[in-house]
Amino acid sequence: MNAESETDRDARKPPAGVAVVVIGYDDAAHVTDAVRSALAQGPAVREVVAVDDCSTDGSAGLLDRLAASEPRLRVIRRRANSGGCGTPRNTGLDAVTSPYVMFLDSDDVLPPGAVAALLEAAEGAHAEVAGGLCVRRELPSGREVPWEPRLYALHAVVPRPARRPRLVHDTLCVNKLYRTGFLRAHGIRFPEGRFPYEDVVFTARVLAAAPRIALVPDRVYVWHVRRSAGRLSISLDRSGVENWRARTEACRQAYEVLLGAGQKELARAVRAKFLDHDLRMYVRELGLRDAAYRRAWWELTRAHLAEYDADDWARNPAAPGRLVGRVVLASPEPCDLPRLRELAARPARLCPPYARAADGTPVWSDALPVSLEPLRARPVRALPLAVDAELRPCARGTRLRLRLRLRLRLHELYGRVAQAGPESVEAEWLHRDDGGVVVRDTAVPLAPCPSGSEPAGTAGSEAVALAQGPEPAGRAGSRAVALARGAEPAGAVALGPCARGAEPAGTAGSVRGGAWSAEVAVDLAALSALGAGTWDLRLRIRFRDGVSRDVSAHALRGAGLLRRSAVPSVRHGVVLVQPYATHSGALALRVAPGVRGVLSVARARLRRLLH
């Protein structure tokens, strides 16, 4: 009786209903892993359609051999290479017979349970589309960064996309499940041929059809990022200006698709996303390009931004991307690239000089008087505060206690900082690969820089003692730096006000309206205990009313700064230390302890020379 009941229940279960379309071209090293990850999803996957885009490396043969032992796998060989991702996806979409369809690239994988989670969400909510969390996995380090985590923080059902404009920020097609009949009924397909960023247009076409969307917090897609690959993916290969041309064209088409469908708010959101994401990302990299690229990029960007209307610029006018866009639009030639790079950083930093028009209105510069008036109304927790940072050897460090001296300088921003009353700053170093916090300080006072000539750190300045704190749980060998007022223990560093006219080396221009300074010690023993790695500096500035602002710090350049040094160590023999500025100008620190660390640095330099 029990056996019969179980059989009856099994008979009533809905059949598996998802097709996974896997596309690939000359990716024999990875395509079978992608296909196997789809097949491993279990009964939720009815079929896997692998579309080989006329590969020349034996990929199709590998797929054929896999299909011989797997009845759910069907291989389609295209006779000519399409030059893009859209055409093979359309080929697969035409071939599927299942009620639902997903897309998978040959160099990525589906994590266990991904398809089942999306299918359950779609059927439970009667949704045409279900989406989940995608993570970007950096290889070979394995570091994972979630893609649009805010959108997928909780289970949710969105009756119409217009109710959640943030959906336009997730332009990926691969972390979603689609009802096949919905796509076919609305004629939703990918752009054909060589069309980079085809998923941007595809996503706009999906949203324009106003589907019911289910969102889940489950990890449903692993996007592998191989920056050292011989052939970079489209999203990573940004060295040529044609990549930027393709991106702007995709964003333009997405806007037109949504506007044509009457989705005006979503169309506006597409333009806002371009300013906040796409524009800022490429501006951060402009300094890496040659003059010809910069001129071509600038011309393309100005032409694209010229299509924006007053409403596009009026929404959140103090947002960093909008400020960057207005500066680019106002100047016929590339200008102020280092300063624009800092403003495009995350978090944004508006570095000095801070110019004003004749009537006192804040402007970008005397030469380019783009109004910065919206900054006066922006909450202090969202201001693009600029903090200069420099690292120098600490005179009080010993062979037993390796230290660097971190000097910080917070700039005034048109009176907003003084109005908010900065009181303290907390610093933490985050491991680039796992995000672990190693060095953390608490409530380091920010001292105003006086108008007198007293040099930094002289007698009479307020001292803040640093005491070695307890080791954080779960971080063997790491340490937190705790700070407390009072008597100065061995190895502590005193803080003092910086003098007006004695700005740290590398500060550009005059500081109008004041500044605040602090100084802390970085314990290299704590950083090096975790082996070779890169550490990003993050700061939290606290104000009088309890509000705080998280910022990164501008890396100052000058004599003795950003220089690699070898520090003696009893434990490791030697520790190589390299402060450096990231692409966005932020201060970061590479640490390589011991002989193994030295060899890893040498190997990395050799790889760069060979490539």
Side-chain angles (χ1 to χ4, degrees), residues 518-533:
E519 190 172 300
V520 297
V522 179
D523 191 347
L524 283 179
L527 299 179
S528 59
L530 297 182

Side-chain angles (χ1 to χ4, degrees), residues 213-561:
I213 302 175
L215 306 176
V216 300
D218 306 64
R219 287 164 44 118
V220 301
Y221 197 86
V222 178
W223 174 3
H224 286 147
V225 180
R226 297 179 173 90
R227 300 185 187 276
S228 60
R231 187 183 75 226
L232 291 175
S233 66
I234 290 173
S235 60
L236 291 180
D237 188 8
R238 299 193 290 268
S239 59
V241 76
E242 289 305 313
N243 178 279
W244 180 240
R245 188 190 306 276
R247 187 181 283 261
T248 56
E249 177 58 27
C251 292
R252 180 182 292 109
Q253 289 195 26
Y255 172 81
E256 292 172 350
V257 165
L258 289 164
L259 194 64
Q263 301 280 3
K264 189 173 182 178
E265 287 302 310
L266 290 179
R268 295 280 189 203
V270 165
R271 285 186 165 176
K273 174 258 179 188
F274 176 84
L275 294 172
D276 181 64
H277 174 70
D278 304 86
L279 181 64
R280 291 174 72 177
M281 176 169 58
Y282 280 71
V283 165
R284 291 194 295 268
E285 298 175 352
L286 269 185
L288 306 176
R289 314 303 181 203
D290 60 27
Y293 176 100
R294 294 174 192 171
R295 286 192 298 270
W297 183 93
W298 202 269
E299 182 179 353
L300 284 170
T301 306
R302 295 184 76 238
H304 183 69
L305 296 178
E307 300 173 4
Y308 283 37
D309 59 28
D311 286 343
D312 293 319
W313 296 109
R315 299 185 177 204
N316 197 7
R322 280 175 172 78
L323 298 180
V324 170
R326 288 169 58 211
V327 171
V328 172
L329 196 57
S331 176
E333 297 291 336
C335 70
D336 297 339
L337 297 187
R339 197 164 176 234
L340 284 172
R341 177 192 66 180
E342 302 275 347
L343 185 56
R346 293 188 183 277
R349 301 182 296 272
L350 180 57
C351 293
Y354 304 116
R356 293 181 183 269
D359 63 358
T361 300
V363 294
W364 176 255
S365 67
D366 295 333
L368 198 66
V370 174
S371 175
L372 301 181
E373 182 67 21
L375 290 176
R376 287 181 167 176
R378 194 164 178 83
V380 68
R381 65 179 179 275
L383 284 175
L385 300 180
V387 179
D388 292 336
E390 62 176 52
L391 275 172
R392 293 184 181 274
C394 181
R396 291 189 144 174
T398 69
R399 289 172 60 89
L400 295 176
R401 198 171 189 74
L402 311 177
R403 289 192 182 276
L404 291 177
R405 183 162 46 93
L406 175 64
R407 180 180 297 174
L408 304 171
R409 182 182 180 91
L410 168 65
H411 292 282
E412 177 60 278
L413 187 63
Y414 298 112
R416 296 298 313 283
V417 178
Q419 182 184 21
E423 292 188 338
S424 65
V425 59
E426 302 171 42
E428 61 184 21
W429 294 92
L430 305 181
H431 194 282
R432 179 72 58 83
D433 290 336
D434 65 16
V437 178
V438 174
V439 177
R440 179 184 296 160
D441 66 52
T442 57
V444 185
L446 279 161
C449 297
S451 57
S453 58
E454 184 182 14
T458 56
S461 63
E462 187 175 28
V464 176
L466 295 92
Q468 188 67 38
E471 185 163 311
R475 304 293 298 182
S478 63
R479 296 179 176 86
V481 178
L483 296 101
R485 293 182 184 273
E488 181 173 321
V493 177
L495 298 180
C498 58
R500 189 68 62 90
E503 290 82 25
T507 301
S510 61
V511 181
R512 306 184 186 183
W516 294 259
S517 69
E519 190 172 300
V520 297
V522 179
D523 191 347
L524 283 179
L527 299 179
S528 59
L530 297 182
T534 300
W535 310 92
D536 292 304
L537 175 63
R538 292 292 183 270
L539 305 171
R540 175 166 295 172
I541 301 170
R542 297 191 182 277
F543 295 90
R544 189 167 44 229
D545 60 358
V547 171
S548 64
R549 171 61 165 149
D550 291 345
V551 300
S552 54
H554 165 70
L556 290 178
R557 303 173 186 270
L561 301 177

Side-chain angles (χ1 to χ4, degrees), residues 20-239:
V20 180
V21 174
V22 184
I23 64 168
Y25 169 67
D26 279 357
D27 196 15
H30 308 113
V31 66
T32 55
D33 290 337
V35 170
R36 287 190 176 98
S37 76
L39 294 170
Q41 297 295 311
V45 171
R46 173 187 292 178
E47 59 183 331
V48 176
V49 179
V51 182
D52 180 75
D53 201 13
C54 198
S55 295
T56 61
D57 68 344
S59 294
L62 293 175
L63 292 171
D64 287 338
R65 287 193 288 275
L66 186 58
S69 60
E70 177 49 72
R72 290 181 296 165
L73 174 60
R74 182 160 32 129
V75 181
I76 299 176
R77 297 193 184 200
R78 289 186 47 79
R79 295 183 178 180
N81 179 257
S82 67
C85 297
T87 298
R89 286 192 186 131
N90 289 336
T91 299
L93 180 58
D94 291 339
V96 303
T97 61
S98 301
Y100 295 94
V101 63
M102 289 183 67
F103 301 99
L104 172 61
D105 291 346
S106 62
D107 53 349
D108 301 329
V109 294
L110 298 177
V115 175
L118 291 173
L119 181 60
E120 181 181 357
E123 293 191 325
H126 304 288
E128 289 84 15
V129 179
L133 184 66
C134 168
V135 294
R136 288 168 51 104
R137 180 181 292 164
E138 298 271 353
L139 296 176
S141 71
R143 176 196 182 206
E144 292 188 349
V145 179
W147 174 263
E148 288 297 320
R150 288 168 48 194
L151 195 58
Y152 299 104
L154 300 169
H155 287 274
V157 177
V158 184
R160 293 188 303 277
R163 292 193 177 182
R164 191 164 296 193
R166 184 76 190 181
L167 287 166
V168 305
H169 283 249
D170 183 11
T171 55
L172 301 181
C173 70
V174 290
N175 61 331
K176 301 176 183 69
L177 176 143
Y178 307 90
R179 191 182 293 274
T180 309
F182 164 77
L183 295 180
R184 290 173 176 167
H186 291 276
I188 298 172
R189 298 173 68 80
F190 293 89
E192 295 276 350
R194 179 161 181 76
F195 191 101
Y197 304 106
E198 75 294 328
D199 46 356
V200 173
V201 178
F202 178 83
T203 298
R205 291 171 177 172
V206 170
L207 297 178
R212 184 176 177 86
I213 302 175
L215 306 176
V216 300
D218 306 64
R219 287 164 44 118
V220 301
Y221 197 86
V222 178
W223 174 3
H224 286 147
V225 180
R226 297 179 173 90
R227 300 185 187 276
S228 60
R231 187 183 75 226
L232 291 175
S233 66
I234 290 173
S235 60
L236 291 180
D237 188 8
R238 299 193 290 268
S239 59

